[in-house]
Amino acid sequence: MVTNPLPTPIETNTSVDYWSIFKRRWKPALCFFTGVCVLNTFNTLSKTPIYQAVGQLRLNVPNKTSQLVSIKGIEANSNSDQGISTEIAIMKSHPLLEKTLVSLQDFLKNNNSDTSLKVSTLKASLTITPQEGTDVVNVKFESVAPRIASATVNQLMEVYVNYNLQENRSQASVARQFIAKQLPQIKQNVLVADQSLRRFMEANQISDVESLANVVTSAQINIQNQIDQVATELAKIEAESLSIRGQLGVTIDSAFDISTASQLPAIQKVRDSLQEVSQNLALARTNLTPDHPTILDLEDQQKRLQSILQDTIQTSIGESSKVNQQPVDSTRQKLLNQLVQLNVVRQGLLKQQKVLEAQLNIYGSRSQQLPTLSQKLRQLQRELGVAETTYKALLQSLQNAQLTENQTIPTAKIVELAELPSTPVAPNQFAEILRGVIAGALLAAGLAYFLEKIDSKLKTVDDIRETYPSWPVLGSVPIHTSESEDQVALPTIINPRSPISESYRMLRANLRFLSTEAPVRVLTFSSALPQEGKSWTSANLAVVLSQMNYRVLLIDADLRKPTQHLIWEVSNQTGLSNVLAATEDSDRGTPITHSVQPNLDLLTSGSLPPNPQALIDSNPFHTFVAQQADRYDFVLIDAPPLMAAADALIMAQETDGLILVGRPEYLEKSSAKRAKELLEQSGTAVLGLFINGIVTKNESYSYYYYYSHNYYGDSKSKSGSGTQRSLPSPKDLFLR
């Protein structure tokens, strides 16, 4: 069927309504609040009174150690907060508290009190606080016995004053002993610093860094001049050597080898023999043929002598280049000897140059070390100065300590003894009870909020609107109580002018306003869970429509757990299941209905089939609904709950839309969300919501303040269209 467009979703208020929460949870909250208040009041009234004794003690806390050693920048403050805090900690220390308990033993025995007090108990009840802006501290002690409280404070102050006096006498002595003990070590430090400075100067052969720097600079200049002279000599020798090598056409190494080879007898002898054989060979070649035995013999001798000469040269000087020539003449030999002599002189100058450069590097390193040596020297001198200054200061402090030791001044004085307390300081019953009331109220509010959060049920109209934000609320009725005059099966019949009857007429009006083009006439009623009132809603709407002279057919399509025959007290032997199971189309067209009201016919469910969904999801059902829509002005179908079966989703496809009935304080949020998912996934046209059984106390505002008897007149008047019937009113019918 053609569905009508849905209205715009209604915005809901998502803020937390704490007043509504309290109205719903006031009983457990009140019980919890009452319990907390009663327990706190009983505990407060049963507490033993506690008395507090207060004494005053003046503390003068000079820092004698700082004054004795005269450390610059550290001045003693006789009224320093740190010093007073230290003395307070001493007063609360275990040794002083233990001495106080020992002194109190006689007093406790005389007053028949507990003599087994412990230091931990005494410390827990003791409070010592300084007075702001003064050097006076308040000593407070709490006890259930007033005499013990005052005696403990006075005894503790007396013990501390005695301790303070002894401590002051020992401080000067300790300072003197400390200084006397440190003097030998400081003196030794002076000697060590002096020896370190002396050894450093001896090791580096310096008495003054400035004179050492002058010596090093002069030496560097002298060595650099010598290096320059050697470089000049090397340049001259290199020039002469280059000239001679140019005349001879040899290198320095070759000249040395040639000169050496010319002077060796073995080489000269072989060279002479080779020269003689060469001459004979040249002479024989002028007279004989090349293959003559004499020429061949001479050539063989020449080769042998050349090989011998080569081996002799290699054995003697290791070089054969330019040595296997003819013997040099006297002039060439003289030049060779001169070149060799120049090379010898050159090598000597090169060695001298290296030595001078090494000396220059040594003095350069020495020059680079001068800043470090100067810094080390100044450091050693400073250490010696500090050690000497410290030694002189300690000598002076030792004299001061000896004087101070004989001038001991007490630094603690009792300003005011503790008096016997007459009024208890605890418990403050009014404050304790008030705190209990406040705590009980907060805890009760938290309990109410906690119970609200763990309750998964939807309790208000706004809760249901938030769960189904896409669909409008078409109407609503309040829950019926046993005292309500409208606690009947169908109030629209018993009292048509009642506020509840008017709610169903409002539902009819809202259905009319859904669409102006094609009014909805065939409706399916369902709910997420059973017992939310879908059957009750469809029955009352059918009565309202019939009272407006519309021909209405109410069909009980819940083939699993039918209800309409119980509401109307009619037989359920035949009904919808019999019609759908009929084999002839003529039987489906004229079903057996019950005329329960003028213009209102009821078709019950009939006998329960083994497979209800097979009957609903069939062509006979589609044809049957279409036929009844032609015969009646309105057809209302009471379908099963969505969470129980899919029948309602199938039926809604054959109608103009589905009206979803919701019941506060019964519908759970998870079930509602699941029902919403089923409707959206199936594409079911949901016309809107009808809220059944509103609990008005849960709402932040009254939905039914206008339901006054003054406005409607006498709500007990029984008026309505047609014949009035007195129907049974079982309480559970309202929930179906």
Side-chain angles (χ1 to χ4, degrees):
M1 292 187 179
V2 179
T3 59
N4 298 316
L6 294 177
T8 304
I10 299 175
E11 295 184 359
T12 60
N13 181 19
T14 58
S15 61
V16 179
D17 189 350
Y18 295 101
W19 176 245
S20 297
I21 294 176
F22 177 74
K23 288 194 298 183
R24 289 191 291 271
R25 307 293 180 182
W26 70 271
K27 290 183 179 179
L30 180 60
C31 293
F32 189 77
F33 171 76
T34 303
V36 171
C37 292
V38 169
L39 290 176
N40 179 70
T41 303
F42 176 77
N43 181 59
T44 301
L45 297 177
S46 61
K47 287 183 177 179
T48 304
I50 297 177
Y51 295 87
Q52 183 183 76
V54 182
Q56 291 185 344
L57 190 67
R58 180 181 179 182
L59 301 178
N60 186 16
V61 192
N63 194 337
K64 291 185 173 57
T65 303
S66 299
Q67 294 174 343
L68 289 173
V69 298
S70 300
I71 299 176
K72 186 177 180 180
I74 301 178
E75 297 295 337
N77 182 6
S78 60
N79 297 322
S80 64
D81 294 338
Q82 183 177 3
I84 292 178
S85 300
T86 303
E87 296 303 316
I88 290 175
I90 293 174
M91 292 178 66
K92 298 177 69 174
S93 63
H94 189 278
L96 261 68
L97 295 180
E98 190 172 9
K99 289 182 180 179
T100 302
L101 286 178
V102 172
S103 302
L104 286 173
Q105 291 299 317
D106 294 338
F107 177 82
L108 295 175
K109 291 179 180 179
N110 296 333
N111 287 271
N112 297 323
S113 300
D114 185 10
T115 59
S116 61
L117 287 177
K118 296 182 179 179
V119 174
S120 58
T121 305
L122 180 61
K123 189 173 184 179
S125 302
L126 179 65
T127 304
I128 304 175
T129 56
Q131 290 187 6
E132 186 176 358
T134 68
D135 56 359
V136 176
V137 296
N138 295 326
V139 183
K140 303 176 183 179
F141 183 75
E142 296 179 352
S143 175
V144 296
R147 293 183 179 275
I148 294 178
S150 59
T152 302
V153 171
N154 294 333
Q155 190 64 41
L156 175 60
M157 291 192 298
E158 183 179 350
V159 169
Y160 172 73
V161 169
N162 294 332
Y163 163 80
N164 181 262
L165 182 60
Q166 296 176 3
E167 185 68 16
N168 289 343
R169 289 175 178 175
S170 63
Q171 284 182 358
S173 176
V174 171
R176 178 184 57 78
Q177 293 174 4
F178 172 78
I179 296 173
K181 184 178 180 181
Q182 294 297 319
L183 274 176
Q185 181 63 37
I186 300 301
K187 184 177 181 180
Q188 181 66 25
N189 293 343
V190 173
L191 296 176
V192 171
D194 183 66
Q195 292 176 0
S196 298
L197 178 60
R198 179 165 45 81
R199 285 196 300 267
F200 176 77
M201 297 177 67
E202 292 175 354
N204 293 276
Q205 299 179 357
I206 58 173
S207 59
D208 187 4
V209 177
E210 293 182 359
S211 61
L212 178 61
N214 294 332
V215 172
V216 171
T217 302
S218 300
Q220 286 179 318
I221 294 173
N222 186 23
I223 293 173
Q224 186 63 46
N225 292 334
Q226 295 181 27
I227 291 175
D228 294 341
Q229 293 177 2
V230 171
T232 302
E233 294 294 331
L234 283 174
K236 292 172 61 179
I237 292 174
E238 187 67 29
E240 293 180 11
S241 176
L242 182 62
S243 176
I244 295 174
R245 288 199 307 270
Q247 295 178 16
L248 295 176
V250 295
T251 62
I252 294 177
D253 295 336
S254 299
F256 180 79
D257 293 341
I258 294 172
S259 178
T260 302
S262 300
Q263 298 175 4
L264 292 176
I267 296 176
Q268 188 63 35
K269 182 178 179 180
V270 176
R271 184 175 285 170
D272 293 342
S273 299
L274 179 60
Q275 185 177 5
E276 182 180 357
V277 172
S278 297
Q279 292 176 356
N280 294 332
L281 179 61
L283 181 63
R285 285 176 176 171
T286 58
N287 299 321
L288 301 174
T289 61
D291 55 350
H292 193 274
T294 301
I295 292 177
L296 295 176
D297 182 59
L298 290 173
E299 290 178 349
D300 184 55
Q301 290 181 13
Q302 186 183 33
K303 292 180 179 179
R304 258 194 335 270
L305 288 174
Q306 289 177 348
S307 177
I308 292 171
L309 178 61
Q310 185 70 21
D311 293 341
T312 304
I313 291 173
Q314 290 180 356
T315 303
S316 300
I317 61 176
E319 180 64 39
S320 60
S321 175
K322 297 185 180 182
V323 176
N324 53 355
Q325 299 177 358
Q326 297 294 327
V328 296
D329 55 12
S330 60
T331 302
R332 185 177 179 85
Q333 184 65 40
K334 184 178 179 180
L335 292 174
L336 288 172
N337 293 336
Q338 186 179 356
L339 181 62
V340 170
Q341 185 65 30
L342 289 174
N343 186 54
V344 172
V345 175
R346 175 177 172 273
Q347 294 296 329
L349 290 175
L350 289 174
K351 291 180 180 180
Q352 184 180 359
Q353 187 181 34
K354 290 181 179 180
V355 171
L356 291 174
E357 289 177 350
Q359 292 179 354
L360 183 62
N361 291 334
I362 292 173
Y363 280 102
S365 300
R366 186 74 169 177
S367 177
Q368 293 177 357
Q369 293 175 356
L370 285 177
T372 304
L373 293 174
S374 178
Q375 181 181 3
K376 181 65 175 178
L377 180 62
R378 289 195 299 271
Q379 179 181 354
L380 292 174
Q381 290 173 346
R382 283 196 303 270
E383 291 177 356
L384 178 59
V386 170
E388 291 176 346
T389 302
T390 304
Y391 182 69
K392 292 178 182 179
L394 284 181
L395 285 176
Q396 183 65 34
S397 299
L398 180 60
Q399 295 176 1
N400 294 337
Q402 290 173 347
L403 293 175
T404 305
E405 188 175 1
N406 299 322
Q407 298 176 357
T408 303
I409 300 174
T411 58
K413 180 181 179 182
I414 298 177
V415 177
E416 182 180 350
L417 292 173
E419 297 180 355
L420 185 67
S422 59
T423 304
V425 295
N428 187 340
Q429 296 181 349
F430 176 77
E432 292 286 342
I433 293 175
L434 180 60
R435 281 195 292 268
V437 171
I438 296 174
L442 294 177
L443 292 174
L447 176 65
Y449 187 78
F450 174 74
L451 294 176
E452 188 74 12
K453 284 299 181 182
I454 64 175
D455 191 353
S456 62
K457 294 180 180 179
L458 304 177
K459 305 171 187 63
T460 65
V461 174
D462 286 340
D463 292 343
I464 297 178
R465 280 178 171 175
E466 291 174 8
T467 308
Y468 301 118
S470 302
W471 305 316
V473 176
L474 301 177
S476 58
V477 294
I479 193 170
H480 300 302
T481 61
S482 58
E483 294 79 13
S484 174
E485 62 182 0
D486 294 329
Q487 178 63 22
V488 293
L490 295 174
T492 52
I493 296 177
I494 303 301
N495 191 359
R497 296 184 59 188
S498 67
I500 295 180
S501 300
E502 192 63 31
S503 299
Y504 292 103
R505 280 189 284 272
M506 183 66 69
L507 172 60
R508 161 67 189 114
N510 288 334
L511 290 174
R512 181 180 178 183
F513 297 149
L514 286 177
S515 176
T516 58
E517 298 178 357
V520 293
R521 297 175 49 247
V522 183
L523 305 175
T524 301
F525 288 82
S526 184
S527 60
L529 297 173
Q531 298 185 0
E532 290 194 69
K534 60 179 182 60
S535 301
W536 170 273
T537 301
S538 59
N540 280 282
L541 179 60
V543 172
V544 169
L545 291 172
S546 67
Q547 290 173 350
M548 300 175 67
N549 293 325
Y550 290 111
R551 297 185 68 252
V552 183
L553 174 62
L554 177 60
I555 302 175
D556 191 351
D558 191 347
L559 303 182
R560 304 171 189 273
K561 192 176 181 181
T563 306
Q564 293 295 339
H565 67 284
L566 299 176
I567 296 175
W568 297 97
E569 288 188 328
V570 296
S571 173
N572 192 30
Q573 292 183 354
T574 59
L576 178 62
S577 62
N578 304 96
V579 173
L580 298 179
T583 58
E584 299 295 335
D585 293 340
S586 58
D587 296 337
R588 300 192 189 98
T590 57
I592 300 175
T593 60
H594 302 275
S595 180
V596 294
Q597 282 284 297
N599 299 324
L600 175 57
D601 294 338
L602 170 65
L603 177 62
T604 60
S605 64
S607 57
L608 301 182
N611 189 2
Q613 188 173 343
L615 295 178
I616 298 301
D617 191 10
S618 63
N619 288 329
F621 180 77
H622 174 76
T623 303
F624 174 75
V625 173
Q627 290 175 351
Q628 304 311 313
D630 294 336
R631 295 179 55 193
Y632 292 90
D633 296 325
F634 287 93
V635 177
L636 308 183
I637 300 177
D638 182 9
L642 295 172
M643 301 301 293
D647 298 359
L649 300 176
I650 299 173
M651 296 176 189
Q653 304 299 325
E654 307 298 334
T655 62
D656 293 333
L658 181 141
I659 296 178
L660 186 62
V661 179
R663 177 189 169 193
E665 282 202 342
Y666 182 81
L667 177 60
E668 294 184 352
K669 185 178 295 186
S670 59
S671 300
K673 289 183 178 180
R674 178 56 182 161
K676 180 175 177 291
E677 292 175 359
L678 292 174
L679 291 171
E680 291 176 347
Q681 291 173 1
S682 63
T684 301
V686 180
L687 301 177
L689 306 173
F690 186 81
I691 313 301
N692 179 51
I694 294 177
V695 183
T696 55
K697 68 178 182 179
N698 290 349
E699 305 298 333
S700 57
Y701 55 91
S702 176
Y703 277 82
Y704 299 98
Y705 65 91
Y706 52 85
Y707 288 161
S708 64
H709 295 287
N710 293 332
Y711 181 81
Y712 283 98
D714 186 9
S715 62
K716 296 182 180 180
S717 62
K718 307 296 187 288
S719 62
S721 62
T723 306
Q724 301 297 324
R725 298 174 52 194
S726 178
L727 298 177
S729 56
K731 187 175 181 179
D732 61 341
L733 292 181
F734 171 72
L735 306 176
R736 297 182 182 275

